[in-house]
């Protein structure tokens, strides 16, 4: 659905040249929900604006929804939907009028029916005459998405879709994005700087930092590959900690073992599968276990490992 | 992009913009308030000066009303950029630019709306002028309005170019007044430039509106076969073509 090679954008301004995006390669398959994760200023929005024909790349090529980005931007536009970070509605214009205009601009057949269908699906019924400025944050976001979907695009771009929404509206929006893919097979490419969003919503993630993609994979793959799981073993008898650490550090799946207080903290590859074996090792060493905890690494850990900075600090 | 597509898109954009304007009827009325005040509160003073050298033949109203109309075109259309900056900020422009809409239509739809508003206001002003004592040939008034309309379209296009370049009210507003005020004073809108000393007259001849104002006055006086009218028509036409071309280029440019 998207194939980009060496996509780059350099801005030349008063303060010299800024390489916002420095050679991005990416592939997105039909039907995927792909998340573009990175701190503010990493180049997410610039990449998105290039892929949606809003910004000409200074280098590189891309095929978007089957059309060449440089040779046929009009073809790309007809096949994609784009929802900008701040939305794109006029506060004084009634919601229905925005939808109607959008459908007319795309030349949608059966306009009224399509709009009614979208309003039903995105819980926008009864808001036709309401000025966009009078809608709630969640409603406006759903309207933005309806505007992006009015022409049934096979590919939808969402720039920071849930920024500024309350937790309930966020969850609700995730549901809508998932159901879009389930119902129409819509491919979704979204940017986010929320780890939980990337984790909960995306099939695959691309991590971008300082204009380059630094890691790619499913959320689970990324976490497994980069960080490993953290297993904390609380011992019944604190004095056995040193012995336990000694025994466990020889286990083949353990990368790192630290004894602290009455507990041993392990960094383990594929921790879930290794739990049983770790307990047996402990048993063989004659150490009694009080409790056991397995923590999956967060995407923040991934980001930290890949870039050397925490996503929270970077943002 | 075919011509039919551009025309259809222009109609859609025009309709949207017009509905936006009509939602705030107050703005339409108050937009014409400034020239109206000049007409009502300043015009009567001039009518006492009919005999002053330089006014030429005809009544003061035949000289003053065309000036006020050009002022309307300059200010009414000059400020339209503010609306675009608001739409750039709300993301509406970007949303429309991702659709296959003709880029030229995004400009033309707006400019047509602005021109229509100015045209309606101009007719209102002429009606008030008639009530105050303006007497001019109907054909001359029509030609004068044609000048106003083409000037409004040109000024609106340039206002959008400026708004696109500055992208913020804080930069746009001072720049706008820095451009419009000297143009207003140098065009001889309030008093004909034939009253001016030589150097001022020479500077005035370097600005385009001077010619359009003189031409509109000639039209109101019924002097159709004059150099002033021909020059004004030429300047207005060139200004219109260049401005719309600049505007269309700006709307087509990437990241605009």
């Amino acid at each position: 659905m998207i194939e980009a090679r060496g996509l780059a954008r350099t801005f030349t301004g008063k303060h010299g040249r800024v390489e916002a995006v420095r050679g991005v390669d990416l592939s997105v398959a039909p039907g995927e929900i792909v998340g573009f994760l990175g701190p503010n200023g990493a180049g997410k929005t610039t990449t998105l604006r290039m892929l949606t024909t809003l910004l000409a790349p200074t280098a590189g090529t891309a095929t978007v929804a089957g059309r060449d980005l440089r040779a046929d931007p009009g073809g790309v536009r007809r096949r994609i939907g784009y929802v900008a970070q701040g939305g794109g509605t006029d506060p004084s214009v009634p919601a229905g009028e925005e939808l109607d205009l959008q459908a007319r601009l795309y030349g949608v057949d059966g306009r009224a029916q399509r709009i009614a269908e979208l309003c039903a699906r995105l819980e926008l019924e009864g808001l036709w005459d309401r000025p966009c400025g009078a809608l709630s944050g969640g409603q406006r976001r759903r309207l933005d998405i309806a505007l992006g979907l009015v022409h049934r695009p096979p590919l939808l771009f969402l720039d920071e879709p849930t920024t500024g929404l309350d937790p309930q509206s966020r969850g609700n929006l995730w549901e809508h994005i998932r159901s879009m893919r389930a119902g129409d097979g819509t491919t979704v490419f979204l940017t986010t700087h929320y780890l939980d969003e990337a984790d909960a919503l995306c099939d695959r993630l691309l991590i971008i930092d300082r204009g380059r993609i630094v890691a790619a994979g499913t959320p689970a793959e990324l976490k497994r590959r980069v960080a490993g799981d953290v297993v904390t073993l609380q011992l019944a008898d604190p004095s056995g900690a040193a012995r336990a650490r000694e025994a466990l550090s020889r286990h083949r799946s353990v990368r790192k073992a630290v004894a602290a207080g009455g507990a041993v903290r392990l960094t383990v590859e594929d921790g879930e599968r290794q739990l049983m074996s770790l307990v047996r090792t402990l048993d063989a060493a004659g150490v009694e276990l009080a409790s056991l905890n397995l923590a999956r690494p967060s995407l923040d850990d991934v980001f930290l490992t890949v870039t050397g900075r925490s996503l929270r600090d970077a943002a | 992009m075919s011509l039919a597509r551009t025309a259809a898109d222009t109609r859609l954009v025009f309709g949207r913009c017009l509905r936006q304007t009509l939602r705030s009827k107050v703005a339409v009325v108050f937009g014409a308030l400034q020239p109206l005040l000049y007409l009502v509160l300043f015009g009567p003073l001039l009518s006492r000066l009919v005999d002053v050298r330089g006014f030429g033949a005809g009544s003061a109203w035949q000289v003053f009303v065309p000036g006020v109309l050009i002022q309307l075109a300059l200010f009414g259309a000059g400020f339209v950029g503010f609306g675009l900056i608001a739409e750039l900020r709300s993301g509406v422009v970007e949303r429309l630019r991702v659709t296959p809409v003709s880029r030229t239509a995004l400009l033309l739809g707006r400019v047509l709306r602005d021109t229509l508003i100015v045209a309606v206001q101009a007719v209102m002003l002429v009606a008030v002028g008639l009530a105050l004592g303006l007497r001019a040939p109907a054909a001359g008034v029509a030609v004068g309005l044609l000048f106003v309309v083409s000037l409004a379209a040109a000024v609106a296009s340039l206002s959008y170019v400026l708004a696109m370049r500055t992208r913020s009210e804080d930069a746009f507003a001072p720049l706008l007044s820095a451009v419009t005020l000297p143009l207003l004073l140098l065009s001889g809108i309030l008093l004909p430039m034939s009253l001016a000393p030589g150097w001022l007259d020479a500077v005035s001849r370097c600005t385009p509106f001077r010619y359009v104002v003189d031409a509109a006055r000639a039209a109101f006086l019924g002097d159709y076969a004059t150099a002033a009218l021909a020059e004004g028509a030429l300047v207005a036409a060139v200004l219109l073509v260049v401005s719309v071309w600049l505007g269309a280029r700006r709307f087509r440019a990437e990241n605009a």
Side-chain angles (χ1 to χ4, degrees):
Chain A
M1 194 53 80
I2 307 175
E3 282 294 334
R5 291 290 165 262
L7 216 53
R9 173 74 202 197
T10 306
F11 293 103
T12 314
K14 269 177 256 176
H15 309 292
R17 283 157 50 88
V18 177
E19 291 178 79
V21 175
R22 328 168 179 222
V24 160
D25 296 336
L26 60 90
S27 307
V28 174
E32 271 191 306
I33 298 181
V34 174
F36 211 28
L37 182 73
N40 293 329
K44 290 180 309 231
T45 298
T46 304
T47 306
L48 209 64
R49 288 170 57 80
M50 286 195 277
L51 292 173
T52 53
T53 76
L54 286 170
L55 195 61
T58 36
T61 58
T63 308
V64 178
R67 293 292 185 278
D68 187 274
L69 190 63
R70 287 175 187 273
D72 186 13
V76 172
R77 286 183 196 122
R78 271 187 289 278
R79 286 166 183 77
I80 63 165
Y82 169 64
V83 179
Q85 187 171 349
T89 53
D90 187 307
S92 70
V93 176
E97 232 180 88
E98 290 285 29
L99 281 166
D100 188 64
L101 174 77
Q102 192 83 349
R104 283 173 193 269
L105 289 174
Y106 280 109
V108 173
D109 292 326
R111 208 166 55 234
Q113 201 191 335
R114 173 61 180 164
I115 291 173
E117 176 194 322
L118 275 173
C119 287
R121 213 203 291 175
L122 288 164
E123 302 166 78
L124 290 167
E125 290 135 317
L127 301 176
W128 189 265
D129 296 317
R130 189 89 59 89
C132 296
L135 300 178
S136 75
Q139 288 170 333
R140 204 169 325 142
R141 218 79 258 267
R142 295 201 301 277
L143 174 63
D144 289 329
I145 290 177
L147 288 168
L149 285 174
V150 78
H151 55 301
R152 302 182 180 87
L155 170 61
L156 182 68
F157 289 93
L158 302 169
D159 196 2
E160 303 278 353
T162 64
T163 298
L165 293 187
D166 59 83
Q168 200 187 340
S169 303
R170 291 183 75 203
N172 174 270
L173 202 69
W174 292 350
E175 273 314 304
H176 282 303
I177 294 171
R178 284 193 201 103
S179 77
M180 244 150 46
R181 190 257 301 270
D184 306 327
T186 311
T187 309
V188 180
F189 189 87
L190 63 94
T191 71
T192 183
H193 64 268
Y194 293 126
L195 297 161
D196 58 340
E197 182 160 288
D199 213 358
L201 190 58
C202 301
D203 303 324
R204 215 152 53 78
L205 293 175
L206 307 169
I207 298 180
I208 186 167
D209 187 43
R210 294 178 177 149
R212 262 187 242 283
I213 291 183
V214 289
T218 67
E221 264 171 20
L222 282 175
K223 289 184 221 168
R224 201 160 50 225
R225 192 168 81 204
V226 187
D229 299 328
V230 176
V231 178
T232 309
L233 304 143
Q234 192 72 45
L235 306 180
D237 177 10
S239 65
R243 194 148 40 97
R245 195 198 71 85
E246 176 70 21
L248 289 165
S249 60
R250 280 198 297 270
H251 191 279
R252 59 183 163 74
S253 72
V254 173
R255 281 199 203 159
K256 206 170 135 196
V258 183
V264 182
R265 207 178 117 90
L266 307 171
T267 305
V268 182
E269 233 171 306
D270 208 2
E272 215 163 48
R273 284 163 191 259
Q274 300 299 332
L275 275 184
M276 209 54 209
S277 163
L278 289 170
V279 173
R280 275 196 211 106
T281 306
L282 210 57
D283 195 38
V287 180
E288 202 183 333
L289 194 61
S291 73
L292 177 150
N293 178 284
L294 171 75
R296 292 304 192 94
S298 70
L299 281 168
D300 195 34
D301 297 328
V302 175
F303 193 82
L304 181 71
T305 316
V306 173
T307 66
R309 289 177 298 148
S310 158
L311 187 59
R312 289 182 185 91
D313 298 340
Chain B
M1 192 68 66
S2 74
L3 214 59
R5 174 78 213 229
T6 306
D9 285 349
T10 300
R11 217 183 42 138
L12 287 174
V13 176
F14 170 72
R16 173 197 173 81
C17 292
L18 191 62
R19 279 193 300 277
Q20 266 171 326
T21 304
L22 293 181
R23 259 189 284 275
S24 55
K25 295 177 188 69
V26 187
V28 183
V29 175
F30 279 86
L33 193 65
Q34 202 191 358
L36 192 69
L37 287 177
Y38 270 100
L39 204 60
V40 177
L41 304 181
F42 186 69
L45 294 178
L46 281 183
S47 58
R48 295 294 181 88
L49 300 175
V50 188
D51 301 331
V52 172
R53 161 184 72 94
F55 263 55
S59 81
W61 290 113
Q62 277 167 297
V63 176
F64 188 57
V65 172
V68 169
L69 288 178
I70 301 295
Q71 186 194 6
L72 170 74
L74 190 55
F75 280 95
F79 282 84
V80 297
F82 281 107
L84 183 63
I85 290 175
E87 288 203 311
L88 283 168
R89 186 166 304 130
S90 68
V92 173
V93 176
E94 187 155 289
R95 173 188 125 215
L96 297 178
R97 286 182 67 244
V98 184
T99 75
V101 69
S102 148
R103 315 286 109 165
T104 312
L106 288 178
L107 172 78
L108 289 183
R110 271 168 230 276
V111 170
L112 282 181
R113 183 262 322 253
D114 305 329
T115 309
L116 179 68
I117 301 295
V118 169
V120 170
Q121 292 171 335
V123 170
M124 277 164 45
L125 284 181
V126 169
V128 174
L130 288 172
L132 288 171
L134 167 71
R135 295 295 171 266
V141 173
V143 171
L145 288 176
L146 210 60
F147 278 115
V148 172
V149 163
S150 63
L151 199 61
V155 172
S157 300
L158 292 176
S159 181
Y160 289 133
V161 172
L162 203 62
M164 284 265 196
R165 288 206 69 95
T166 57
R167 290 180 163 256
S168 92
E169 285 92 349
D170 293 342
F172 180 68
L175 208 56
L176 188 66
S177 46
V179 173
T180 46
L181 192 61
L183 281 177
L184 172 82
L185 294 174
L186 286 171
S187 64
I189 282 172
L190 297 177
L191 291 171
M193 270 296 158
S194 46
L195 297 171
W199 65 268
L200 189 57
D201 186 46
V203 176
S204 154
R205 287 199 179 279
C206 300
T207 68
F209 298 115
R210 160 74 190 267
Y211 298 95
V212 185
V213 173
D214 284 353
R217 285 193 174 128
F220 267 63
L221 289 168
D223 301 337
Y224 305 126
T226 55
L229 200 78
E231 281 170 10
L234 185 69
V235 170
V238 170
L239 195 64
L240 180 64
V241 170
V242 170
S243 306
V244 172
W245 177 76
L246 281 175
R249 204 182 61 151
R250 191 70 216 165
F251 270 77
R252 272 200 300 267
E254 53 132 2
N255 195 25

